[in-house]
Amino acid sequence: MSETDPRAAEQAPSARPHTGRRRNEAAHRAILDAALHLLADSDGTPVTIDAIARTAGVGKQTVYRWWPSKGAVLLDALTDRADRDVSDQPDTGSLRTDLRAFIETTFDAAQRSTTASALRTVVREAARDPHLAELMQTFTATRRTALHELLARGRERGELDGGADLDLIVDQVYGLFWYRFLLGHAPLDAAAAERLAATLTEGNRVS
Amino acid sequence: MSETDPRAAEQAPSARPHTGRRRNEAAHRAILDAALHLLADSDGTPVTIDAIARTAGVGKQTVYRWWPSKGAVLLDALTDRADRDVSDQPDTGSLRTDLRAFIETTFDAAQRSTTASALRTVVREAARDPHLAELMQTFTATRRTALHELLARGRERGELDGGADLDLIVDQVYGLFWYRFLLGHAPLDAAAAERLAATLTEGNRVS
DNA sequence: CGCTTGACAAGACTAGCAGTCTCGGCAACC
DNA sequence: GGTTGCCGAGACTGCTAGTCTTGTCAAGCG
């Protein structure tokens, strides 16, 4: 995008590959591992950068050299774990079955012992950190899109009313999920997933 | 509860009514007004106790003499306003109509210009302040109970399935509400209220 | 080998905020 | 006029995010 700039070639990464000491990958991993470990048994209490650096046996500046803010580290640590949990949704041909499976998977993944308190902590931090909130939103967007497509398939098959508001249904799923997940006053179990899927399909079927 | 304790009478408020200077009601009101005013145009950014005290023309210690924490002040200021907004729900005899009205009222009340950012700020603070979170929960409990009773009336009239999970329906309403209210990515308008009420009644009607 | 570059650990430092403490003053009632 | 307790002002502690400094160490280059 900068071919018109004669200095671009000089600044391009290939022009002068690297000099000086190389990045320490062990430190990089140690930071992510420390962050995830601290998040995992933090149970909602904030995790400090000092604690992460100390646990990783690393200087604070090394953390800030590779991440712009505390939130970025936390989210990176979380996605590092969550990426392994993403699974494609099966297409059984029944909206209600697909939806129930999607919701149940979401509930289960969030409540895995290693993930749960990490996720809770990050969301709580995001409530006060606009930058982290934005990162979170792109993080959740993929899941929202997947659900939206699942619903669109069902609507095309005639299992939902043509005028159904898919965005609203998506928000009903994630609204309930976050509400119960963060407050913890009621279960996010298979029964809840089943009932939620039933309500949403029955309440929006072709009239 | 302490009649067996001989010191109870001495410690009872009537034993020694009061000595010393009286509480300054003007300062009390000035603090609440300052808090509400700052909350109203804070748009999510935290409100500091220093700012409240300075705006109210009051010493910080005066704030902490009457409220135990920052969260308590904020919530007190908020409820001071919200109490005037509570209205009884009409019982039209139709669950769907009652539910639609309840949801729409909730949406509207939360989005009143003076309330909206105040509520957003308090909830964001509550994410990091367990004490405030607890206060918030008793604050919202009244509204949740009202909705639950509205649903129970409908179920008794046979408008909902006998096995319907009313707690889940309540959480679906407030889950969606908070989700959209806090993220602000989609509207909380009359159309959304209408569709939500329709989905919930249709999706849980007698089978 | 010696030089330059840049990552590294350690930790001092700044800035902002919640909540506490101290002080001198003032109002109410004895 | 003395005691009690509220008041405004502001210093102070403790905690945390993020920056800056210092001295060191590793990687390539000539």
Side-chain angles (χ1 to χ4, degrees):
Chain A
M1 68 168 68
S2 46
E3 299 214 350
T4 56
D5 186 351
R7 289 168 309 186
E10 297 171 23
Q11 290 174 351
S14 55
R16 190 162 59 71
H18 195 77
T19 55
R21 187 177 181 171
R22 301 307 162 79
R23 174 178 190 170
N24 184 347
E25 277 307 323
H28 185 244
R29 277 252 42 102
I31 291 168
L32 285 181
D33 288 347
L36 193 60
H37 184 262
L38 288 173
L39 278 173
D41 45 38
S42 70
D43 206 41
T45 19
V47 171
T48 69
I49 286 282
D50 271 298
I52 293 173
R54 221 176 320 111
T55 307
V58 139
K60 261 205 307 182
Q61 189 58 254
T62 303
V63 178
Y64 280 106
R65 195 187 313 276
W66 303 109
W67 290 272
S69 70
K70 187 181 78 157
V73 183
L74 297 185
L75 190 68
D76 210 1
L78 189 63
T79 51
D80 187 58
R81 164 63 48 92
D83 280 349
R84 302 168 215 162
D85 290 353
V86 174
S87 58
D88 292 298
Q89 289 304 317
D91 188 346
T92 65
S94 158
L95 173 63
R96 181 160 162 180
T97 308
D98 286 358
L99 185 58
R100 192 198 53 70
F102 183 97
I103 296 173
E104 201 176 327
T105 304
T106 302
F107 286 4
D108 286 351
Q111 291 177 108
R112 261 202 254 304
S113 57
T114 35
T115 318
S117 59
L119 191 54
R120 238 183 295 266
T121 305
V122 170
V123 174
R124 290 211 220 277
E125 302 264 341
R128 296 252 238 160
D129 179 348
H131 182 237
L132 178 55
E134 198 182 340
L135 291 176
M136 270 296 289
Q137 218 143 352
T138 66
F139 170 61
T140 54
T142 27
R143 298 290 292 164
R144 288 179 52 89
T145 305
L147 176 54
H148 196 281
E149 284 167 359
L150 188 156
L151 294 169
R153 283 203 304 272
R155 185 166 64 180
E156 276 164 30
R157 285 195 303 256
E159 294 183 81
L160 285 184
D161 188 281
D165 185 343
L166 301 192
D167 287 326
L168 185 63
I169 302 177
V170 169
D171 285 352
Q172 277 185 262
V173 171
Y174 280 107
L176 178 82
F177 165 67
W178 287 112
Y179 190 60
R180 288 205 166 178
F181 180 72
L182 292 173
L183 265 57
H185 65 294
L188 284 172
D189 53 16
E194 164 66 35
R195 281 176 182 275
L196 180 56
T199 301
L200 293 177
T201 48
E202 290 304 303
N204 288 282
R205 79 192 191 297
V206 181
S207 50
Chain B
M1 68 168 72
S2 48
E3 300 215 349
T4 55
D5 185 352
R7 290 169 307 186
E10 299 171 21
Q11 292 175 346
S14 54
R16 190 164 57 73
H18 195 79
T19 56
R21 185 175 183 173
R22 301 306 161 78
R23 172 179 191 169
N24 185 347
E25 278 305 325
H28 185 244
R29 277 252 41 101
I31 291 167
L32 285 182
D33 289 346
L36 193 59
H37 184 262
L38 289 172
L39 278 174
D41 44 41
S42 70
D43 204 41
T45 20
V47 172
T48 68
I49 286 281
D50 271 297
I52 293 173
R54 222 175 319 113
T55 306
V58 140
K60 262 207 302 184
Q61 189 59 34
T62 303
V63 178
Y64 280 104
R65 196 186 312 277
W66 303 110
W67 289 274
S69 70
K70 188 182 77 159
V73 184
L74 297 185
L75 191 68
D76 211 0
L78 189 62
T79 51
D80 187 58
R81 162 65 47 93
D83 281 350
R84 301 168 214 160
D85 291 351
V86 174
S87 57
D88 291 299
Q89 289 304 319
D91 187 348
T92 64
S94 158
L95 173 63
R96 181 159 161 181
T97 308
D98 285 358
L99 185 58
R100 193 198 53 71
F102 184 97
I103 295 172
E104 202 176 325
T105 303
T106 302
F107 286 3
D108 286 350
Q111 291 178 107
R112 261 202 255 302
S113 58
T114 35
T115 319
S117 59
L119 192 55
R120 238 182 294 267
T121 305
V122 170
V123 174
R124 291 210 217 279
E125 302 266 340
R128 295 252 237 160
D129 179 346
H131 182 237
L132 178 55
E134 198 181 340
L135 291 175
M136 269 296 290
Q137 219 144 351
T138 67
F139 169 61
T140 53
T142 26
R143 299 289 293 165
R144 287 179 54 90
T145 305
L147 176 54
H148 196 281
E149 285 167 358
L150 188 156
L151 293 168
R153 283 203 304 273
R155 185 166 64 180
E156 276 164 29
R157 284 194 304 256
E159 294 182 81
L160 285 184
D161 190 280
D165 185 343
L166 301 192
D167 287 327
L168 184 64
I169 301 177
V170 170
D171 286 352
Q172 278 183 262
V173 172
Y174 280 108
L176 179 81
F177 165 68
W178 287 112
Y179 190 60
R180 288 204 165 177
F181 181 72
L182 292 172
L183 264 58
H185 65 294
L188 285 172
D189 53 14
E194 166 65 36
R195 281 175 182 276
L196 180 57
T199 301
L200 294 176
T201 48
E202 290 304 303
N204 289 281
R205 79 191 192 299
V206 181
S207 50

